[in-house]
Amino acid sequence: MSDEKKAKAATSSVLTKFTQNQIQEMKEAFTMIDQNRDGLIDVSDLKEMYSSLGVVPSDKVLQDMIKEAPQLNFTGFLSVFSDKMSGTDPEETLRNAFAMFDVDGQGFIPEEYFKDLLENMGDNYTKDEIRQVWKEAPFSGGKLEYNAFVSKIKGKEQDD
């Protein structure tokens, strides 16, 4: 297979891992980071981005960040995020974790119970973090549909 064909296959493969909405959000993030608008993210882009946020990381920190791909184009950016996103727990593990709190075994957790768990168990979510979860979580009739939520976490939900 020629290098050009391999590149096209890699591009189409990484694109299948994201929904259209996710790809659009990633494109916006990529554009924000690509400070000089050359279609590549490199150390100078990272330096400028951090500077605009009032942070001045050392060159070593920036070099470590860019090690995976010295000049990162959009397809490479998607590949890096795909690898990072697949670093979440396996789907079955997430479903089993939610199922532990599903007293009826019906695939739902009552909204108030879920909120109490987030506020008082483990990392103790703040009110703002809970609001963010509520924006994304599929609630129906006052209950979290946790199988749909796990699918969303794993990037398998349907486009809106």
Side-chain angles (χ1 to χ4, degrees), residues 59-73:
D59 284 344
K60 179 178 178 357
V61 168
L62 295 174
Q63 290 293 340
D64 288 346
M65 289 175 75
I66 208 81
K67 257 186 201 168
E68 290 183 52
Q71 290 193 324
L72 192 61
N73 65 15

Side-chain angles (χ1 to χ4, degrees), residues 8-76:
K8 283 183 180 180
T11 300
S12 66
S13 174
V14 74
L15 292 176
T16 62
K17 296 179 181 182
F18 297 101
T19 65
Q20 280 304 116
N21 289 342
Q22 288 172 320
I23 291 170
Q24 183 59 39
E25 289 172 7
M26 294 287 192
K27 184 67 174 170
E28 290 170 17
F30 181 86
T31 301
M32 287 174 57
I33 298 168
D34 182 18
Q35 298 283 310
N36 62 7
R37 305 291 184 252
D38 66 353
L40 299 169
I41 295 174
D42 57 20
V43 171
S44 67
D45 290 318
L46 292 175
K47 192 177 278 191
E48 284 185 47
M49 182 198 64
Y50 273 105
S51 174
S52 72
L53 298 171
V55 178
V56 184
S58 70
D59 284 344
K60 179 178 178 357
V61 168
L62 295 174
Q63 290 293 340
D64 288 346
M65 289 175 75
I66 208 81
K67 257 186 201 168
E68 290 183 52
Q71 290 193 324
L72 192 61
N73 65 15
F74 183 62
T75 303

Side-chain angles (χ1 to χ4, degrees), residues 17 19 22 91 95 148 150-159:
K17 296 179 181 182
T19 65
Q22 288 172 320
E91 193 168 332
R95 288 188 200 288
V150 168
S151 292
K152 188 166 204 145
I153 291 168
K154 296 304 285 181
K156 294 182 177 182
E157 80 278 10
Q158 298 296 315
D159 283 337

